[in-house]
Amino acid sequence: MYLMRLIYVSQISEHFKPEDIEHILHSARKNNAQFNITGALFFNPKFFLQCIEGSRSSVNKTYKNILNDERHCNIIQLQYQEIEHRDFSAWSMGYVPDSSRLAPIIASYSSGNALDPYTMSGASCYQLLLALKNAMS
Ligand SMILES: Cc1cc2nc3c(=O)[nH]c(=O)nc-3n(C[C@H](O)[C@H](O)[C@H](O)COP(=O)(O)O)c2cc1C
């Protein structure tokens, strides 16, 4: 059973309501615990940047559900690769809201004034999520 990591970026759609973030986290944590998926979700007023890790079949099933969710759009897969170990094993879905405390880390991964994961490599987004996790721990 291969362990995989998948990272994607998406944009908040017109169907997204502010209270949806709580609903998304609730179902993510419930389902991910059941399917042994771990990961992190970064969220700011424009983007979602999410990493999910787990068995290949669980990652694929979870991503299929995520792709069909109307609360976000312009979903671009940035990384999908086999991994030897999990990086987010303590988090069924760690939530990383944008905050001024994290701004220096985010700025260090951004080419312009604001974070834009669409212009970043998968490797860079992965490193950013790791740095945010370490800052949150
Ligand atoms: C940005 C975003 C991230 C999501 N992440 C997950 C996730 O990690 N795991 C998951 O099961 N569902 C996730 N969802 C929710 C799924 O799209 C879908 O609503 C959910 O799997 C439906 O399950 P439920 O019927 O048990 O609530 C996410 C949705 C969005 C918009």
Side-chain angles (χ1 to χ4, degrees):
M1 186 174 68
Y2 292 108
L3 260 185
M4 305 295 296
R5 174 173 62 235
L6 186 149
I7 299 177
Y8 72 85
V9 59
S10 63
Q11 283 177 311
I12 287 151
S13 78
E14 60 190 25
H15 301 285
F16 180 84
K17 301 183 288 305
E19 62 269 25
D20 280 336
I21 192 67
E22 287 305 321
H23 303 152
I24 290 168
L25 286 169
H26 177 79
S27 43
R29 287 176 176 150
K30 170 177 64 79
N31 297 334
N32 294 357
Q34 187 182 348
F35 294 107
N36 219 355
I37 291 278
T38 48
L41 177 66
F42 172 79
F43 170 68
N44 77 10
K46 276 193 185 161
F47 306 112
F48 292 108
L49 177 63
Q50 188 177 29
C51 167
I52 56 176
E53 52 190 20
S55 74
R56 185 160 54 195
S57 61
S58 296
V59 166
N60 291 352
K61 271 186 215 142
T62 302
Y63 188 51
K64 186 167 168 256
N65 290 339
I66 291 172
L67 283 174
N68 288 328
D69 197 312
E70 289 191 336
R71 292 171 290 192
H72 61 166
C73 56
N74 301 332
I75 305 167
I76 299 289
Q77 187 176 309
L78 300 173
Q79 199 180 65
Y80 179 65
Q81 67 181 61
E82 290 170 14
I83 52 173
E84 288 168 5
H85 63 86
R86 294 173 191 258
D87 291 301
F88 300 93
S89 45
W91 287 356
S92 60
M93 188 42 61
Y95 177 44
V96 186
D98 202 9
S99 78
S100 54
R101 188 167 72 81
L102 301 174
I105 297 172
I106 291 169
S108 72
Y109 284 85
S110 307
S111 52
N113 289 335
L115 178 73
D116 183 356
Y118 287 95
T119 63
M120 292 167 63
S121 68
S124 188
C125 287
Y126 167 58
Q127 292 298 331
L128 169 62
L129 287 168
L130 282 183
L132 293 173
K133 178 192 82 165
N134 291 337
M136 302 276 293
S137 320

